């Protein structure tokens, strides 16, 4: 079973629209970490945010905001007033204890965001 | 500021050939891992290591081998390349609960 589900395969918006990327995760651990990464067309993976399971405070960074809700096992990402430069594939990831007691991130399949001018 | 250095960036192999993808990190991270990225599949874990001398299998380990003799290095070996191993490979390093730092990726084509 998928540990991290990003149900939206591709989202297309027009510049200046707000867009929310959904992420639903599955874990039995009480201690875990959640991440968002951005992969622009150039291919590198860029870290955006990290959240631990004990910190449900929402976070805002410029046009980016994240909503973490343990009750629904979701960690959604909103881009306000989207720009063409936001066009990328966005990955949500979960880091929990796996066999051997290690924390290794498991990634969702990604959401491709296309922002049209 | 080297971070995670992954080589080569591009590689073309013939079916049956073997090769090693190199990965080195200079952040003294405990954990290192290899992922492959295929269209629509996200990043899938191949193998990982929690420290020198300790490795384990991830989701898609078949056809790959790893070793970790030092904290810094974590090479990935393709034993006998197959077209199904055509993919983009990423090496990553991290500490407990910390974000993963990724290499630039290797685009591998097996013909």
């Amino acid at each position: 079973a998928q540990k991290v589900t990003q149900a939206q395969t591709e989202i297309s918006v027009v510049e200046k629209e707000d867009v929310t990327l959904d992420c639903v995760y599955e874990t039995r651990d009480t201690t875990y970490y959640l991440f968002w990464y951005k992969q622009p067309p150039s291919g590198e993976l860029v870290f955006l945010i990290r959240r631990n399971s004990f910190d449900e405070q929402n976070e805002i960074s410029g046009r980016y905001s994240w909503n973490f809700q343990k009750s629904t096992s979701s960690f959604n990402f909103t881009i306000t007033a989207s720009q063409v430069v936001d066009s990328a594939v966005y990955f949500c990831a979960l880091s929990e204890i796996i066999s051997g007691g290690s924390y290794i991130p498991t990634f969702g399949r990604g959401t491709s965001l296309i922002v049209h001018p | 500021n080297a971070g995670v250095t992954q080589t080569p960036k591009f590689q073309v192999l013939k079916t049956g050939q073997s090769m090693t993808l190199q990965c080195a990190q200079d952040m003294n991270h405990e954990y290192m891992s290899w992922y492959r990225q295929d269209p629509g599949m996200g990043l899938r874990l191949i193998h990982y290591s929690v420290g020198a001398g300790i490795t384990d299998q991830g989701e898609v380990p078949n056809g790959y081998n790893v070793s970790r003799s030092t904290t810094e290095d974590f090479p990935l070996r393709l034993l006998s390349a197959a077209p199904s191993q055509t993919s983009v490979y990423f090496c990553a390093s991290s500490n407990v609960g910390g974000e993963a730092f990724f290499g630039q990726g290797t685009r591998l084509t097996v013909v």
Side-chain angles (χ1 to χ4, degrees):
Chain A
Q2 251 182 309
K3 294 284 191 177
V4 180
T5 302
Q6 295 181 257
Q8 303 149 310
T9 304
E10 182 176 297
I11 301 175
S12 184
V13 300
V14 177
E15 212 170 17
K16 297 184 183 176
E17 281 186 41
D18 298 347
V19 58
T20 296
L21 309 181
D22 297 332
C23 174
V24 174
Y25 62 93
E26 177 188 327
T27 180
R28 295 180 190 174
D29 290 343
T30 54
T31 301
Y32 54 90
Y33 302 86
L34 295 163
F35 307 87
W36 277 94
Y37 289 85
K38 174 182 180 180
Q39 187 177 42
S42 51
E44 73 273 22
L45 286 152
V46 179
F47 165 75
L48 295 177
I49 190 171
R50 166 187 178 272
R51 263 284 173 269
N52 72 55
S53 53
F54 300 108
D55 182 3
E56 279 194 81
Q57 204 169 9
N58 292 332
E59 180 150 343
I60 299 174
S61 176
R63 296 183 296 108
Y64 294 173
S65 62
W66 291 269
N67 184 306
F68 175 28
Q69 291 195 331
K70 289 176 74 170
S71 60
T72 56
S73 297
S74 65
F75 186 42
N76 296 338
F77 174 29
T78 297
I79 302 175
T80 303
S82 59
Q83 299 177 2
V84 172
V85 293
D86 296 326
S87 297
V89 179
Y90 291 86
F91 292 99
C92 180
L94 166 71
S95 183
E96 56 174 351
I97 292 182
I98 60 177
S99 63
S102 59
Y103 288 82
I104 298 289
T106 300
F107 286 80
R109 295 192 176 189
T111 297
S112 177
L113 174 65
I114 302 168
V115 182
H116 299 280
Chain B
N1 291 350
V4 179
T5 304
Q6 185 181 337
T7 57
K9 277 193 171 182
F10 302 95
Q11 183 71 51
V12 178
L13 287 179
K14 292 183 179 178
T15 297
Q17 285 186 318
S18 62
M19 79 159 293
T20 299
L21 278 63
Q22 302 291 344
C23 178
Q25 55 99 1
D26 61 1
M27 297 171 283
N28 203 32
H29 284 165
E30 295 175 80
Y31 300 156
M32 296 187 75
S33 47
W34 277 100
Y35 296 87
R36 60 177 288 173
Q37 183 178 16
D38 302 292
M41 299 300 293
L43 291 155
R44 292 184 293 170
L45 183 65
I46 305 172
H47 284 285
Y48 66 94
S49 168
V50 301
I54 307 170
T55 64
D56 207 345
Q57 297 181 354
E59 181 186 354
V60 288
N62 292 343
Y64 307 95
N65 204 353
V66 293
S67 59
R68 184 128 178 243
S69 55
T70 66
T71 300
E72 294 77 21
D73 300 300
F74 191 46
L76 177 72
R77 297 182 189 83
L78 278 71
L79 309 173
S80 176
S84 60
Q85 293 179 305
T86 293
S87 187
V88 180
Y89 293 84
F90 286 96
C91 177
S93 73
S94 62
N95 277 333
V96 175
E99 70 268 26
F101 290 79
F102 286 89
Q104 291 293 308
T106 298
R107 188 172 293 274
L108 175 68
T109 302
V110 182
V111 299

